[in-house]
Every structure is written in C-alpha cells, then in structure tokens.
C-alpha cells in the first residue's frame, strides 16, 4: 500500500504553508484534503507531481454521513504515515478525521499559523446547538466563540491532547512559492499596483450598502481603475459600485501566494491584509472610514487584525478619506524617488 502524508488545508491562509511543505520535500508523497472548492481548484491548477487531492464537502447531517463514507473509501487505498493540520477553528469533518487517525496511533502535527481568534466565548446556552452538532457528527465538544456577529466552534485544549498532536511553528518559503506561481500574473492580466480586498462587508451587515459604496467609489476614483485589481472573498460575490469596473483576480487564486504582485493592499477586514503587511506591503484598512452597524464588532475586528499582525508589519487605520489619500500620495511620492 502506498505511503503518503495527509495535509489538511481548509482555508486560503494555509495554502502557502501547504505549498512550501510539498515543494521542499519533493521526495515525499502527499494527499491534500480540503472542503473548500477554491483551494481544490487551485491545487488542480498547480498539478504538483507529489500531490493528490481529497476534496470533500460539509453541511447537513445527510451530507456529512455520505462524505464520511467517501473519505473512508478513498483513504483505504493509502497508508497514512503522518497527518498535518493548520486550523484552530472550524474544521468539522477534518476534526473527525484527525480523531480517527489519532485512534490508530498515526503521528499528528499541528503546524500553528495563527493564535486562536481573540474573541470571547459565547454563553453556554447560545453555543449549545453548535456543541451538540460537533459532538454528534464529529465526536468532540468545541469551545464556541462569539465575535459579536457570529458564533463559531474553536478547538479546545482537550482536542489537541486527544490527538497527542506535536505543535510546530510553521514557516513559508516565499522563493519556492514565487517560482511555482510566477507565470500566473501574466495569465491573470493583473493590472496596477493596488489590490482592493473586498466581499462580505455588506453581505454580513457590518456596514450599510450606501456607506460602503460611497467610500469605495471615492477610493477607486482616487487610485484609478487602471491601477487596481479586486480580490473578492472566496464565499462572496457582492461587488458593489465601481468595484464592478475593476479587473478581478479569480477566486481560486489565494491572494497570499501572489503578494509580491501588488505594492498596496486596501480592505476592510481580512487575514490577507495581515499577510501583506507582514511581507512589507503598504496596507490600509477602511475599518474606521465607514459607520459600523455594531461598534463592538468594529473594535473586535481591529483587535483581530492587530492580534494576527503580532507586531510584524503595519496596518494603517485612517479615520477619514483625507488621511487615506495622504497615505497613498506619500507612498507614490516615495516610490518615484
């Protein structure tokens, strides 16, 4: 039976780490498992010689039952020598799979990318439904966090203990990634040096559509449509106002694998802003340019970005458009010297 290592990649933020693992160890064979269609599509595009994919879905109990059978059937063809995972929240079927391999005594590594999201735990009765689903479907009781807008499951310390997971600080090799994707920029017809990171802000009712559209239109007018590209959130299609006039980066391309394609990143609230700032890019958040529907959520988004940043780089939070335009003008002037 063929031996392979299993890499669980259920968020775009983990893609560079998975790519680094596979590219640095071309003598090893891997299975990349993901419940995210965009990630599966991207690895199909990469077509690494030492990688095969396990694409699976999640959702209702009936879907979960079918996917468990499919995963068992697929993995029965391989001897899994190690499992590596990167997530500290969500997971669903990935968590069930981790527990299955832990029971078999397979070595499991947690490659830490970020700390758990720094938001309070939900009150016990608010998170009860989530706890029950995770226990009945995936065999563990999660912590349930409340970011002021949504409740979501987070992996408790007891979960890592059950896995006997070895915790490793994960690293990215940007040179390997650049060489693997260097042909993408021309194929994608990327324009300009500004990436507008968008999607979900209005759909999640964080700000009003009118306020968002007014601010974003002003920014696009200042930058110029010929100088900007837009990157939508993988799960949203809500381009608003003049965003629709911009060249769009395909959703299946994680923004963090082509960070060097842009000099300036502008968005409301996204891990991509953090990753760009940590790589020395000029990063501007529009968090305080728009009136929030919930001020407590706005503060938590700020704390989330600063926590993820962890002192490695700068995200600017202008309080008005004049401050934002000044940041852009200063950058343009400095780069032209």
């Amino acid at each position: 039976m063929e031996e392979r290592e299993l890499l669980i990649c259920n968020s775009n933020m983990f893609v560079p780490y998975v790519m680094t693992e596979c590219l640095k160890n071309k003598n090893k064979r891997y299975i990349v498992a993901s419940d995210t269609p965009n990630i599966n599509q991207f690895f199909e595009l990469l077509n690494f010689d030492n990688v095969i994919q396990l694409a699976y879905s999640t959702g209702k109990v009936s879907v979960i039952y079918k996917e468990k059978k499919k995963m068992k059937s697929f993995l029965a063809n391989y001897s899994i020598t190690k499992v590596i995972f990167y997530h500290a929240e969500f997971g669903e079927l990935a968590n069930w799979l981790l527990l299955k391999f832990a029971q078999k005594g397979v070595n499991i590594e947690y490659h830490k990318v970020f700390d758990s999201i720094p938001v309070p735990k939900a009150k016990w009765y608010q998170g009860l439904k989530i706890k029950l689903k995770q226990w009945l479907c995936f065999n563990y009781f999660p912590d349930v966090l409340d970011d002021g807008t949504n409740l979501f499951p987070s992996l408790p310390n007891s979960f890592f203990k059950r896995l006997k997971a070895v915790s490793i600080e994960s690293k990215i090799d940007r040179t390997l990634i650049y060489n693997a994707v260097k042909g993408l920029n021309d194929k994608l017809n990327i324009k300009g040096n500004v990436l507008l990171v968008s999607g979900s802000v209005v759909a999640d009712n964080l700000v009003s559509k009118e306020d968002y559209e007014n601010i974003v239109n002003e920014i696009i007018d200042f930058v110029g449509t010929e100088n900007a590209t837009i990157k939508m959130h993988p799960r949203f299609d809500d381009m608003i106002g003049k965003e629709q006039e911009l060249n769009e980066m395909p959703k299946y391309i994680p923004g963090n694998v082509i960070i060097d394609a842009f000099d300036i990143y502008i968005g409301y609230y996204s891990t991509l802003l953090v990753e760009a700032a940590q790589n020395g890019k000029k990063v501007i958040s529009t968090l305080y340019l728009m009136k929030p529907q919930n001020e407590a959520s706005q503060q938590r988004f700020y704390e989330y970005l600063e926590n993820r940043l962890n002192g490695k780089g700068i995200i600017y939070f202008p309080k008005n458009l004049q401050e934002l335009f000044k940041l852009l003008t200063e950058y343009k002037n400095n780069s032209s010297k």
Side-chain angles (χ1 to χ4, degrees):
M1 191 177 290
E2 184 182 11
E3 292 186 349
R4 286 190 180 254
E5 294 186 10
L6 177 65
L7 309 178
I8 296 175
C9 182
N10 49 18
S11 170
N12 276 352
M13 72 177 79
F14 308 140
V15 170
Y17 298 90
V18 173
M19 289 180 66
T20 297
E21 177 74 26
C22 298
L23 289 167
K24 282 183 72 174
N25 302 289
K26 291 188 175 181
N27 58 319
K28 291 184 179 181
R29 295 180 178 275
Y30 297 96
I31 298 170
V32 174
S34 182
D35 61 358
T36 306
N38 296 321
I39 293 175
N40 292 320
Q41 189 175 358
F42 180 63
F43 275 97
E44 282 178 16
L45 177 70
L46 293 175
N47 194 28
F48 290 160
D49 291 338
N50 59 338
V51 172
I52 58 174
Q53 291 180 253
L54 170 55
Y56 63 96
S57 303
T58 191
K60 296 180 180 179
V61 174
S62 57
V63 172
I64 290 167
Y65 176 75
K66 290 178 182 177
E67 291 300 303
K68 283 182 178 179
K69 289 183 67 177
K70 185 176 81 172
M71 292 169 87
K72 285 179 179 178
S73 175
F74 178 91
L75 291 167
N77 298 305
Y78 303 95
S79 173
I80 303 302
T81 57
K82 183 196 294 183
V83 182
I84 298 174
F85 72 107
Y86 305 82
H87 62 278
E89 285 88 25
F90 303 101
E92 301 240 316
L93 271 165
N95 299 334
W96 171 80
L97 202 58
L98 285 165
L99 291 168
K100 287 291 184 185
F101 281 112
Q103 288 176 346
K104 295 178 181 178
V106 175
N107 292 330
I108 297 178
E109 293 180 359
Y110 170 51
H111 286 207
K112 182 179 177 182
V113 174
F114 291 116
D115 291 332
S116 187
I117 296 175
V119 298
K121 289 184 181 180
K123 295 176 181 177
W124 71 269
Y125 57 86
Q126 292 176 310
L128 188 57
K129 185 176 180 181
I130 292 174
K131 283 179 177 285
L132 287 174
K133 179 189 177 184
Q134 301 298 306
W135 171 250
L136 292 172
C137 294
F138 312 118
N139 196 28
Y140 84 106
F141 277 119
D143 291 333
V144 179
L145 305 183
D146 180 0
D147 68 3
T149 304
N150 299 298
L151 302 178
F152 54 91
S154 179
L155 301 181
N157 290 334
S158 59
F159 182 83
F160 293 90
K161 288 178 181 177
R162 285 178 67 186
L163 297 181
K164 297 181 180 177
V166 176
S167 184
I168 294 175
E169 199 74 27
S170 202
K171 295 186 183 299
I172 296 172
D173 189 320
R174 283 283 166 198
T175 301
L176 284 175
I177 292 171
Y178 172 80
N179 289 332
V181 301
K182 62 185 176 182
L184 282 178
N185 290 3
D186 293 334
K187 291 180 182 178
L188 298 175
N189 190 30
I190 288 175
K191 296 179 181 178
N193 64 344
V194 177
L195 184 68
L196 190 65
V197 183
S198 186
S200 81
V201 179
V202 174
D204 279 344
N205 197 34
L206 303 179
V207 303
S208 71
K209 181 177 182 293
E210 180 182 11
D211 196 12
Y212 181 88
E213 184 170 357
N214 288 339
I215 295 296
V216 168
N217 284 355
E218 290 267 13
I219 294 171
I220 292 171
D221 284 341
F222 186 87
V223 171
T225 55
E226 71 281 4
N227 296 316
T229 295
I230 189 167
K231 178 75 172 77
M232 297 297 294
H233 189 287
R235 296 193 304 274
F236 293 87
D237 295 298
D238 55 332
M239 276 194 282
I240 293 170
K242 293 186 179 181
E243 288 182 337
Q244 299 170 77
E245 300 175 16
L246 299 179
N247 185 54
E248 182 182 4
M249 185 189 298
K251 286 186 176 183
Y252 61 84
I253 306 294
N256 52 13
V257 304
I258 55 170
I259 280 178
D260 290 336
F262 302 95
D263 298 321
I264 302 169
Y265 286 72
I266 303 174
Y268 187 81
Y269 155 75
S270 169
T271 304
L272 181 54
L273 300 180
V274 174
E275 293 170 291
Q278 289 176 336
N279 282 275
K281 302 301 178 179
K282 187 86 169 187
V283 177
I284 302 170
S285 169
T286 59
L287 189 63
Y288 292 107
L289 296 181
M290 307 168 192
K291 183 179 179 181
Q293 303 285 30
N294 184 317
E295 290 188 3
S297 293
Q298 182 190 56
Q299 179 61 23
R300 285 177 184 168
F301 294 150
Y302 171 79
E303 292 170 358
Y304 169 86
L305 291 171
E306 287 294 315
N307 173 271
R308 288 287 196 248
L309 196 59
N310 196 26
K312 302 171 185 174
I314 300 171
I315 296 177
Y316 295 92
F317 295 90
K319 298 297 192 296
N320 54 57
L321 283 170
Q322 288 68 38
E323 288 184 14
L324 185 147
F325 295 157
K326 184 181 178 183
L327 288 167
L328 293 175
T329 302
E330 286 174 352
Y331 181 84
K332 182 179 179 182
N333 291 340
N334 290 335
S335 357
S336 60
K337 289 179 181 179

